[in-house]
Coordinates of all heavy atoms in Angstrom, one line a residue:
M30 N 122.4 89.3 100.4 CA 121.0 89.0 99.8 C 120.3 88.3 100.8 O 118.9 88.5 100.7 CB 121.4 88.2 98.5 CG 120.1 88.0 97.7 SD 119.7 89.4 97.0 CE 118.4 88.9 95.8
I31 N 120.7 87.4 101.6 CA 119.9 86.8 102.6 C 119.3 87.6 103.5 O 118.1 87.5 104.1 CB 120.8 85.7 103.3 CG1 121.3 84.6 102.3 CG2 120.0 85.0 104.4 CD1 120.2 83.8 101.6
E32 N 120.0 88.8 103.9 CA 119.4 89.7 104.9 C 118.3 90.5 104.1 O 117.3 90.8 104.9 CB 120.6 90.8 105.2 CG 121.6 90.2 106.0 CD 122.7 89.4 105.2 OE1 122.7 89.7 104.0 OE2 123.5 88.7 105.9
L33 N 118.4 90.9 102.9 CA 117.3 91.4 102.2 C 116.1 90.5 102.1 O 115.0 90.9 102.4 CB 117.7 91.7 100.7 CG 116.6 92.4 99.9 CD1 116.3 93.8 100.3 CD2 117.1 92.5 98.5
L34 N 116.3 89.2 102.0 CA 115.0 88.2 102.0 C 114.5 88.2 103.5 O 113.3 88.1 103.6 CB 115.6 86.9 101.5 CG 115.9 86.8 100.1 CD1 116.4 85.4 99.8 CD2 114.7 87.1 99.2
G35 N 115.4 88.3 104.4 CA 114.9 88.3 105.9 C 114.0 89.5 106.0 O 113.0 89.5 106.8
F36 N 114.6 90.7 105.6 CA 113.9 92.0 105.7 C 112.5 91.9 105.0 O 111.5 92.5 105.5 CB 114.7 93.1 105.3 CG 114.1 94.5 105.4 CD1 113.9 95.0 106.7 CD2 113.6 95.2 104.2 CE1 113.3 96.2 106.8 CE2 113.1 96.4 104.5 CZ 112.9 96.9 105.6
I37 N 112.4 91.4 103.8 CA 111.1 91.2 103.0 C 110.2 90.3 103.8 O 109.1 90.6 103.9 CB 111.4 90.7 101.6 CG1 112.2 91.8 100.8 CG2 110.1 90.3 100.9 CD1 112.6 91.4 99.4
N38 N 110.8 89.2 104.3 CA 109.9 88.4 105.1 C 109.4 89.1 106.4 O 108.1 88.9 106.7 CB 110.7 87.2 105.6 CG 109.9 86.0 106.0 OD1 108.7 86.0 105.9 ND2 110.6 85.1 106.7
Y39 N 110.1 90.0 107.1 CA 109.7 90.8 108.1 C 108.6 91.7 107.7 O 107.6 91.9 108.4 CB 110.8 91.5 108.8 CG 110.4 92.5 109.9 CD1 110.0 92.1 111.1 CD2 110.4 93.9 109.7 CE1 109.6 92.8 112.1 CE2 110.1 94.7 110.5 CZ 109.6 94.3 111.7 OH 109.2 95.1 112.8
L40 N 108.8 92.3 106.5 CA 107.7 93.3 106.0 C 106.4 92.6 105.7 O 105.3 93.1 106.0 CB 108.4 94.0 104.8 CG 109.3 95.1 105.1 CD1 109.8 95.7 103.7 CD2 108.9 96.2 106.0
I41 N 106.5 91.4 105.2 CA 105.3 90.7 104.8 C 104.6 90.3 106.2 O 103.4 90.4 106.3 CB 105.6 89.4 104.0 CG1 106.1 89.8 102.7 CG2 104.5 88.5 104.0 CD1 106.6 88.7 101.8
S42 N 105.4 89.9 107.3 CA 104.8 89.6 108.6 C 104.1 91.0 109.2 O 103.0 90.8 109.7 CB 105.8 89.1 109.5 OG 106.4 88.0 109.1
L43 N 104.7 92.0 109.0 CA 104.1 93.2 109.4 C 102.8 93.6 108.7 O 101.8 94.0 109.2 CB 105.1 94.4 109.3 CG 104.7 95.7 109.8 CD1 104.5 95.7 111.3 CD2 105.8 96.8 109.4
Y44 N 102.8 93.3 107.4 CA 101.7 93.5 106.6 C 100.6 92.7 106.9 O 99.4 93.0 106.8 CB 102.0 93.4 105.0 CG 101.0 94.0 104.0 CD1 100.8 95.4 104.0 CD2 100.3 93.1 103.4 CE1 99.9 95.9 103.1 CE2 99.3 93.7 102.4 CZ 99.1 95.0 102.4 OH 98.2 95.5 101.6
V45 N 100.8 91.4 107.3 CA 99.9 90.5 107.8 C 99.0 91.1 109.0 O 97.8 90.9 109.1 CB 100.4 89.0 108.0 CG1 99.5 88.3 108.9 CG2 100.9 88.4 106.7
Y46 N 99.8 91.7 109.9 CA 99.3 92.2 111.0 C 98.3 93.5 110.7 O 97.3 93.7 111.3 CB 100.3 92.7 112.1 CG 101.0 91.4 112.8 CD1 102.3 91.3 112.7 CD2 100.2 90.5 113.4 CE1 103.0 90.2 113.3 CE2 100.8 89.5 114.1 CZ 102.1 89.3 114.1 OH 102.7 88.2 114.6
V47 N 98.8 94.2 109.8 CA 98.0 95.3 109.2 C 96.7 94.9 108.7 O 95.6 95.4 108.8 CB 98.8 96.2 108.3 CG1 97.9 97.2 107.5 CG2 99.9 96.9 109.0
I48 N 96.9 93.8 107.9 CA 95.6 93.3 107.3 C 94.5 92.8 108.4 O 93.4 93.1 108.4 CB 95.8 92.1 106.4 CG1 96.7 92.6 105.1 CG2 94.6 91.4 105.9 CD1 97.3 91.5 104.3
L49 N 95.1 92.0 109.3 CA 94.3 91.6 110.5 C 93.7 92.7 111.3 O 92.5 92.7 111.7 CB 95.1 90.6 111.4 CG 95.6 89.4 110.8 CD1 96.5 88.5 111.8 CD2 94.3 88.5 110.4
G50 N 94.6 93.8 111.5 CA 93.9 94.9 112.2 C 92.8 95.6 111.4 O 91.8 96.0 111.9
S51 N 92.9 95.7 110.1 CA 92.0 96.3 109.3 C 90.7 95.5 109.3 O 89.6 96.1 109.4 CB 92.5 96.4 107.8 OG 91.6 96.8 107.0
V52 N 90.8 94.1 109.2 CA 89.7 93.3 109.2 C 88.9 93.4 110.6 O 87.7 93.6 110.7 CB 90.0 91.7 109.0 CG1 89.0 90.9 109.3 CG2 90.5 91.7 107.5
I53 N 89.7 93.4 111.7 CA 89.0 93.5 113.0 C 88.4 94.8 113.2 O 87.3 94.9 113.7 CB 90.1 93.2 114.1 CG1 90.5 91.7 114.0 CG2 89.5 93.5 115.5 CD1 91.7 91.3 114.9
L54 N 89.1 95.9 112.7 CA 88.5 97.3 112.9 C 87.2 97.4 112.0 O 86.2 98.0 112.5 CB 89.5 98.3 112.5 CG 88.9 99.8 112.6 CD1 88.8 100.0 114.1 CD2 89.9 100.8 112.0
S55 N 87.2 96.8 110.9 CA 86.0 96.8 110.1 C 84.8 96.1 110.6 O 83.6 96.5 110.6 CB 86.2 96.4 108.7 OG 86.4 95.0 108.6
W56 N 85.1 94.9 111.3 CA 84.1 94.2 112.1 C 83.6 95.1 113.3 O 82.4 95.0 113.5 CB 84.7 92.9 112.6 CG 84.9 91.7 111.6 CD1 84.4 91.8 110.3 CD2 85.6 90.5 111.7 NE1 84.8 90.7 109.7 CE2 85.5 89.9 110.6 CE3 86.3 90.1 112.8 CZ2 86.2 88.8 110.3 CZ3 87.0 88.9 112.6 CH2 86.9 88.2 111.5
L57 N 84.5 95.6 114.0 CA 84.1 96.5 115.1 C 83.2 97.6 114.7 O 82.2 98.0 115.4 CB 85.3 96.9 116.0 CG 86.1 95.9 116.7 CD1 87.3 96.4 117.3 CD2 85.3 95.1 117.7
M58 N 83.5 98.2 113.6 CA 82.7 99.3 113.2 C 81.4 98.7 112.6 O 80.3 99.5 112.8 CB 83.4 100.1 112.0 CG 84.6 100.8 112.6 SD 85.6 101.5 111.2 CE 84.6 102.6 110.4
A59 N 81.3 97.6 112.0 CA 80.1 97.1 111.4 C 79.1 96.6 112.5 O 77.9 96.8 112.2 CB 80.4 95.9 110.5
F60 N 79.6 96.2 113.5 CA 78.8 95.7 114.6 C 78.5 96.8 115.6 O 77.9 96.4 116.7 CB 79.3 94.4 115.3 CG 79.2 93.2 114.4 CD1 80.6 92.6 114.1 CD2 78.2 92.8 113.8 CE1 80.6 91.4 113.3 CE2 78.2 91.6 113.0 CZ 79.3 91.0 112.8
G61 N 79.0 98.0 115.4 CA 78.6 99.0 116.4 C 79.3 99.0 117.6 O 79.0 99.7 118.6
V62 N 80.5 98.3 117.7 CA 81.3 98.3 118.9 C 82.1 99.6 119.2 O 82.2 100.1 120.2 CB 82.2 97.0 119.0 CG1 83.1 97.1 120.2 CG2 81.4 95.8 118.9
V63 N 82.6 100.1 118.0 CA 83.3 101.4 118.1 C 82.5 102.4 117.2 O 81.9 102.0 116.2 CB 84.7 101.2 117.6 CG1 85.6 100.5 118.6 CG2 84.9 100.7 116.1
N64 N 82.7 103.7 117.5 CA 81.9 104.7 116.8 C 82.8 105.0 115.6 O 83.9 105.6 115.7 CB 81.8 105.9 117.7 CG 80.9 107.0 117.1 OD1 80.4 106.9 116.0 ND2 81.0 108.2 117.8
P65 N 82.2 104.9 114.3 CA 83.0 105.1 113.1 C 83.1 106.7 113.0 O 83.9 107.2 112.1 CB 82.2 104.6 112.1 CG 80.8 104.4 112.5 CD 81.0 104.2 114.1
Y66 N 82.4 107.5 113.7 CA 82.4 109.0 113.5 C 83.5 109.6 114.5 O 83.8 110.8 114.6 CB 81.1 109.6 113.9 CG 80.1 109.1 112.8 CD1 79.1 108.3 113.2 CD2 80.2 109.5 111.5 CE1 78.1 107.8 112.3 CE2 79.3 109.1 110.6 CZ 78.3 108.3 111.1 OH 77.4 107.9 110.1
N67 N 84.1 108.7 115.3 CA 85.2 109.2 116.2 C 86.5 109.5 115.3 O 86.8 108.7 114.3 CB 85.5 107.9 117.2 CG 86.6 108.3 118.2 OD1 87.4 109.3 118.0 ND2 86.6 107.7 119.3
R68 N 87.1 110.5 115.6 CA 88.2 111.0 114.8 C 89.4 109.9 114.7 O 89.9 109.6 113.7 CB 88.8 112.3 115.2 CG 88.0 113.5 114.9 CD 88.7 114.8 115.2 NE 87.9 115.9 114.8 CZ 88.3 117.2 114.9 NH1 89.5 117.4 115.2 NH2 87.5 118.0 114.5
F69 N 89.7 109.4 115.9 CA 90.8 108.5 115.9 C 90.4 107.1 115.1 O 91.2 106.7 114.3 CB 91.1 108.1 117.3 CG 92.3 107.0 117.5 CD1 93.6 107.3 117.1 CD2 91.9 105.7 117.8 CE1 94.5 106.4 117.2 CE2 92.8 104.7 117.8 CZ 94.1 105.1 117.6
V70 N 89.2 106.6 115.2 CA 88.7 105.5 114.7 C 88.6 105.7 113.2 O 89.2 104.9 112.3 CB 87.4 105.0 115.3 CG1 86.8 103.8 114.4 CG2 87.5 104.7 116.6
S71 N 88.1 106.8 112.7 CA 88.1 107.1 111.3 C 89.5 107.2 110.7 O 89.7 106.8 109.5 CB 87.2 108.3 111.0 OG 87.8 109.4 111.5
A72 N 90.3 107.9 111.4 CA 91.6 108.1 110.9 C 92.4 106.7 110.7 O 93.2 106.5 109.8 CB 92.5 109.1 111.8
L73 N 92.3 105.8 111.8 CA 92.8 104.6 111.7 C 92.2 103.7 110.6 O 93.1 103.1 109.8 CB 92.6 103.9 113.1 CG 93.4 102.5 113.4 CD1 94.9 102.8 113.4 CD2 92.9 102.0 114.6
A74 N 90.9 103.8 110.4 CA 90.2 103.1 109.3 C 90.8 103.6 107.9 O 91.1 102.8 107.0 CB 88.9 103.3 109.4
Q75 N 91.0 104.9 107.8 CA 91.5 105.4 106.5 C 93.0 105.0 106.4 O 93.4 104.8 105.2 CB 91.5 107.0 106.5 CG 90.1 107.5 106.3 CD 90.1 109.1 106.4 OE1 91.0 109.7 106.8 NE2 88.8 109.5 106.2
A76 N 93.8 105.0 107.5 CA 95.2 104.5 107.3 C 95.2 103.1 106.8 O 96.0 102.7 106.0 CB 95.9 104.7 108.6
F77 N 94.4 102.2 107.5 CA 94.4 100.8 107.2 C 93.9 100.6 105.6 O 94.5 99.8 105.0 CB 93.4 100.0 108.0 CG 94.0 99.7 109.3 CD1 93.2 99.5 110.5 CD2 95.4 99.4 109.5 CE1 93.8 99.2 111.6 CE2 95.9 99.0 110.7 CZ 95.1 98.9 111.8
A78 N 92.9 101.4 105.2 CA 92.5 101.3 103.8 C 93.4 101.9 102.9 O 93.7 101.2 101.8 CB 91.2 102.2 103.6
A79 N 94.3 102.9 103.2 CA 95.3 103.3 102.3 C 96.4 102.3 102.1 O 97.1 102.2 101.0 CB 95.8 104.6 102.8
V80 N 96.6 101.5 103.1 CA 97.7 100.5 103.0 C 97.2 99.2 102.4 O 97.9 98.5 101.7 CB 98.2 100.2 104.5 CG1 99.2 99.0 104.4 CG2 98.9 101.4 105.0
T81 N 96.0 98.7 102.6 CA 95.6 97.5 102.2 C 94.8 97.5 100.9 O 94.8 96.5 100.2 CB 94.7 96.8 103.3 OG1 93.6 97.7 103.6 CG2 95.4 96.5 104.7
E82 N 93.9 98.5 100.6 CA 93.2 98.6 99.5 C 93.9 98.4 98.1 O 93.4 97.8 97.3 CB 92.4 99.9 99.3 CG 91.2 99.9 100.3 CD 90.2 98.7 100.0 OE1 90.0 98.5 98.9 OE2 89.7 98.1 101.0
P83 N 95.1 98.9 98.0 CA 95.9 98.7 96.6 C 96.0 97.1 96.3 O 95.9 96.8 95.1 CB 97.3 99.3 96.8 CG 96.9 100.4 97.9 CD 96.0 99.8 98.8
L84 N 96.1 96.3 97.3 CA 96.3 94.9 97.0 C 94.9 94.1 97.1 O 94.7 93.2 96.5 CB 97.3 94.2 98.1 CG 98.7 94.7 97.9 CD1 99.6 94.0 98.9 CD2 99.2 94.3 96.4
L85 N 94.0 94.8 98.0 CA 92.7 94.0 98.0 C 91.7 94.3 96.8 O 90.9 93.5 96.4 CB 91.9 94.5 99.3 CG 92.7 94.0 100.7 CD1 91.9 94.6 101.8 CD2 92.5 92.5 100.8
R86 N 91.8 95.5 96.3 CA 91.0 95.8 95.2 C 91.1 94.9 93.9 O 90.0 94.4 93.5 CB 91.3 97.3 94.8 CG 90.2 97.9 93.9 CD 90.4 99.4 93.6 NE 90.4 100.1 94.8 CZ 91.6 100.8 95.1 NH1 92.6 100.8 94.5 NH2 91.4 101.5 96.3
P87 N 92.3 94.6 93.5 CA 92.4 93.6 92.4 C 91.7 92.2 92.7 O 91.2 91.5 91.9 CB 93.8 93.6 92.0 CG 94.4 94.7 92.6 CD 93.6 95.1 93.8
I88 N 91.9 91.8 94.0 CA 91.5 90.5 94.4 C 90.0 90.5 94.5 O 89.3 89.6 94.0 CB 92.0 90.1 95.8 CG1 93.5 89.9 95.7 CG2 91.3 88.8 96.3 CD1 94.1 89.7 97.1
R89 N 89.3 91.7 94.9 CA 87.9 91.8 95.0 C 87.3 91.7 93.4 O 86.2 91.2 93.3 CB 87.5 93.1 95.5 CG 87.7 93.1 97.1 CD 87.1 94.4 97.8 NE 87.3 94.2 99.2 CZ 88.0 95.2 99.7 NH1 88.4 96.2 99.0 NH2 88.3 95.0 101.0
S90 N 88.1 92.3 92.5 CA 87.6 92.4 91.2 C 87.6 90.9 90.6 O 86.7 90.7 89.6 CB 88.4 93.4 90.3 OG 89.6 92.8 90.1
V91 N 88.4 90.0 91.0 CA 88.4 88.7 90.5 C 87.5 87.7 91.2 O 86.9 86.8 90.5 CB 89.8 88.2 90.6 CG1 90.0 86.7 90.1 CG2 90.8 89.0 89.7
L92 N 87.3 88.0 92.6 CA 86.4 87.0 93.2 C 85.0 87.2 92.8 O 84.6 88.3 92.6 CB 86.6 87.2 94.8 CG 87.9 86.7 95.4 CD1 88.0 87.1 96.8 CD2 88.1 85.3 95.1
P93 N 84.2 86.1 92.9 CA 82.7 86.4 92.7 C 82.1 87.0 93.9 O 82.7 87.0 94.9 CB 82.2 84.8 92.4 CG 83.2 84.0 93.1 CD 84.5 84.7 93.1
D94 N 80.9 87.5 93.7 CA 80.1 88.1 94.8 C 79.6 86.9 95.7 O 78.9 86.1 95.3 CB 78.9 88.8 94.1 CG 78.2 89.7 95.3 OD1 78.8 89.9 96.3 OD2 77.1 90.1 95.0
F95 N 79.9 87.1 97.0 CA 79.5 86.1 98.0 C 78.4 86.8 99.0 O 78.3 86.4 100.0 CB 80.7 85.7 98.8 CG 81.6 84.7 98.1 CD1 82.8 85.3 97.7 CD2 81.3 83.5 97.8 CE1 83.7 84.4 97.0 CE2 82.1 82.6 97.1 CZ 83.3 83.1 96.7
G96 N 77.8 87.8 98.4 CA 76.9 88.5 99.3 C 77.4 89.5 100.2 O 78.2 90.4 99.6
G97 N 77.2 89.5 101.4 CA 77.9 90.6 102.3 C 79.3 90.1 102.9 O 79.8 90.8 103.6
I98 N 79.8 89.0 102.4 CA 81.0 88.5 103.0 C 82.2 88.8 102.0 O 82.0 88.6 100.8 CB 81.0 87.0 103.2 CG1 79.9 86.6 104.2 CG2 82.3 86.5 103.8 CD1 79.6 85.2 104.5
D99 N 83.2 89.4 102.5 CA 84.4 89.7 101.7 C 85.6 88.7 102.1 O 86.0 88.8 103.1 CB 84.8 91.1 102.0 CG 85.9 91.6 101.2 OD1 86.2 91.1 100.2 OD2 86.5 92.7 101.6
F100 N 85.9 88.0 101.1 CA 86.9 86.9 101.2 C 88.3 87.4 100.7 O 89.3 86.8 100.8 CB 86.7 85.7 100.5 CG 85.5 84.9 101.2 CD1 84.2 84.7 100.6 CD2 85.7 84.2 102.4 CE1 83.3 84.0 101.3 CE2 84.8 83.5 103.1 CZ 83.6 83.4 102.6
S101 N 88.3 88.6 100.2 CA 89.7 89.2 99.7 C 90.7 89.2 100.7 O 91.9 88.9 100.4 CB 89.3 90.5 98.9 OG 89.0 91.5 99.8
P102 N 90.4 89.7 102.0 CA 91.5 89.7 103.0 C 92.1 88.3 103.2 O 93.3 88.0 103.4 CB 91.0 90.3 104.2 CG 89.9 91.0 103.7 CD 89.2 90.4 102.5
L103 N 91.2 87.2 103.2 CA 91.7 85.8 103.3 C 92.6 85.4 102.2 O 93.5 84.7 102.5 CB 90.5 85.0 103.4 CG 90.7 83.4 103.7 CD1 91.4 83.2 104.9 CD2 89.4 82.6 103.6
V104 N 92.1 85.8 101.0 CA 93.0 85.4 99.8 C 94.4 86.1 99.9 O 95.4 85.6 99.6 CB 92.3 85.7 98.6 CG1 93.1 85.6 97.3 CG2 91.0 84.9 98.4
L105 N 94.4 87.3 100.3 CA 95.6 88.1 100.5 C 96.5 87.5 101.5 O 97.7 87.4 101.3 CB 95.3 89.6 100.7 CG 96.5 90.5 100.8 CD1 97.4 90.5 99.6 CD2 96.1 91.9 101.2
L106 N 95.9 87.1 102.6 CA 96.6 86.5 103.8 C 97.3 85.1 103.2 O 98.4 84.8 103.5 CB 95.8 86.2 104.9 CG 95.5 87.4 105.8 CD1 94.5 87.1 106.9 CD2 96.7 88.0 106.4
L107 N 96.5 84.4 102.5 CA 97.1 83.1 101.9 C 98.2 83.5 101.0 O 99.2 82.7 101.0 CB 95.9 82.3 101.2 CG 94.9 81.8 102.1 CD1 93.6 81.1 101.3 CD2 95.5 80.7 103.0
G108 N 98.1 84.4 100.2 CA 99.1 84.9 99.3 C 100.4 85.2 100.1 O 101.5 84.9 99.6
C109 N 100.2 86.0 101.1 CA 101.4 86.4 102.0 C 102.0 85.2 102.5 O 103.3 85.1 102.6 CB 100.9 87.4 102.9 SG 100.5 89.0 102.5
Y110 N 101.2 84.3 103.1 CA 101.9 83.1 103.7 C 102.5 82.2 102.6 O 103.5 81.5 102.9 CB 100.8 82.2 104.5 CG 100.4 82.9 105.7 CD1 99.0 83.1 106.1 CD2 101.2 83.5 106.6 CE1 98.5 83.6 107.2 CE2 100.9 84.1 107.8 CZ 99.5 84.2 108.1 OH 99.1 84.8 109.3
F111 N 102.0 82.1 101.4 CA 102.6 81.5 100.4 C 104.0 82.0 100.0 O 104.9 81.3 99.9 CB 101.7 81.4 99.1 CG 102.3 80.7 97.9 CD1 102.3 79.3 97.9 CD2 102.8 81.6 97.0 CE1 103.0 78.8 96.7 CE2 103.4 80.9 95.9 CZ 103.5 79.5 95.7
V112 N 104.0 83.3 99.9 CA 105.3 84.0 99.6 C 106.2 83.7 100.8 O 107.4 83.4 100.5 CB 105.1 85.5 99.4 CG1 106.4 86.2 99.3 CG2 104.3 85.7 98.1
Q113 N 105.9 83.8 102.0 CA 106.8 83.6 103.0 C 107.2 82.2 103.2 O 108.4 81.9 103.6 CB 106.1 84.0 104.5 CG 106.1 85.5 104.8 CD 105.5 85.7 106.1 OE1 104.5 85.1 106.6 NE2 106.1 86.5 106.8
S114 N 106.3 81.2 103.0 CA 106.8 79.8 103.2 C 107.3 79.0 101.9 O 108.0 78.1 102.0 CB 105.6 79.0 103.7 OG 104.5 79.0 102.8
V115 N 107.0 79.5 100.7 CA 107.4 78.9 99.5 C 108.5 79.7 98.7 O 109.5 79.2 98.3 CB 106.3 78.5 98.7 CG1 106.7 77.8 97.4 CG2 105.4 77.5 99.5
V116 N 108.0 80.9 98.3 CA 108.9 81.7 97.5 C 110.2 82.1 98.1 O 111.3 82.0 97.5 CB 108.1 83.0 97.0 CG1 108.8 83.8 96.1 CG2 106.9 82.4 96.2
I117 N 110.1 82.8 99.3 CA 111.4 83.3 99.9 C 112.4 82.3 100.3 O 113.5 82.3 99.9 CB 111.0 84.2 101.1 CG1 110.4 85.5 100.7 CG2 112.3 84.5 101.9 CD1 109.9 86.4 101.6
P118 N 111.8 81.0 100.9 CA 112.9 79.9 101.1 C 113.5 79.4 99.8 O 114.7 79.1 99.8 CB 112.1 78.9 101.8 CG 111.0 79.6 102.4 CD 110.7 80.8 101.5
N119 N 112.8 79.3 98.7 CA 113.3 78.8 97.5 C 114.2 79.8 96.8 O 115.3 79.4 96.2 CB 112.2 78.5 96.5 CG 111.6 77.0 96.8 OD1 112.1 76.3 97.5 ND2 110.2 77.0 96.5
I120 N 114.1 81.1 96.9 CA 115.0 82.1 96.5 C 116.3 82.0 97.3 O 117.3 82.1 96.8 CB 114.3 83.5 96.6 CG1 113.1 83.6 95.5 CG2 115.4 84.5 96.3 CD1 112.4 85.0 95.5
A121 N 116.1 81.8 98.6 CA 117.3 81.6 99.5 C 118.1 80.4 99.1 O 119.4 80.4 99.2 CB 116.8 81.5 101.0
K122 N 117.3 79.4 98.7 CA 118.2 78.1 98.4 C 118.8 78.3 97.1 O 120.0 77.8 96.9 CB 117.1 77.0 98.3 CG 116.7 76.4 99.5 CD 115.7 75.2 99.2 CE 115.0 74.8 100.5 NZ 114.0 73.7 100.3
M123 N 118.3 79.1 96.1 CA 118.9 79.3 94.9 C 120.2 80.2 95.1 O 121.2 80.1 94.4 CB 118.0 80.1 93.9 CG 116.9 79.2 93.4 SD 115.7 79.9 92.3 CE 116.4 81.4 91.8
I124 N 120.1 81.2 96.1 CA 121.3 82.1 96.3 C 122.5 81.3 96.9 O 123.6 81.5 96.6 CB 120.9 83.2 97.3 CG1 119.9 84.1 96.5 CG2 122.1 84.0 97.6 CD1 119.3 85.2 97.3
L125 N 122.1 80.4 97.9 CA 123.2 79.7 98.6 C 123.7 78.6 97.7 O 124.0 77.9 97.2 CB 122.6 79.1 99.9 CG 122.2 80.1 101.0 CD1 121.7 79.4 102.1 CD2 123.4 80.9 101.4

């Protein structure tokens, strides 16, 4: 069971990197650094959106409108770090 918790922790760490990559790519596209009409860039953006949007969409519906700033990735990152630092270690303590 401890190995399963370690694997879940690893998957959350990987998902954090995917969220950060999605945020950075959206900034690069918004500021015109990369061409959003490039096939590779658009495919990468679609892949990131397919992976991150199912968790970001409910967060966006709860958060108030802050104008042009989207804080939902920040809330999701905080949730991931909370699960990694509080939930998983407490489950591991209950098992041992």
Side-chain angles (χ1 to χ4, degrees):
M30 186 69 171
I31 298 296
E32 292 84 13
L33 179 64
L34 291 176
F36 181 69
I37 291 171
N38 197 14
Y39 173 73
L40 288 178
I41 292 172
S42 297
L43 185 64
Y44 195 70
V45 164
Y46 289 123
V47 169
I48 294 168
L49 292 175
S51 174
V52 168
I53 291 171
L54 182 64
S55 71
W56 287 346
L57 292 175
M58 289 172 63
F60 292 122
V62 177
V63 295
N64 184 7
Y66 300 108
N67 184 338
R68 283 188 180 189
F69 176 74
V70 173
S71 65
L73 191 61
Q75 287 177 354
F77 280 150
V80 174
T81 58
E82 282 301 314
L84 292 177
L85 289 175
R86 194 174 302 118
I88 295 171
R89 285 189 186 120
S90 67
V91 173
L92 287 178
D94 186 23
F95 291 106
I98 300 174
D99 184 18
F100 286 110
S101 59
L103 180 63
V104 173
L105 184 58
L106 286 173
L107 289 173
C109 288
Y110 289 133
F111 176 77
V112 169
Q113 279 186 318
S114 62
V115 175
V116 175
I117 291 178
N119 283 329
I120 292 174
K122 285 179 189 177
M123 287 177 15
I124 293 172
L125 295 177

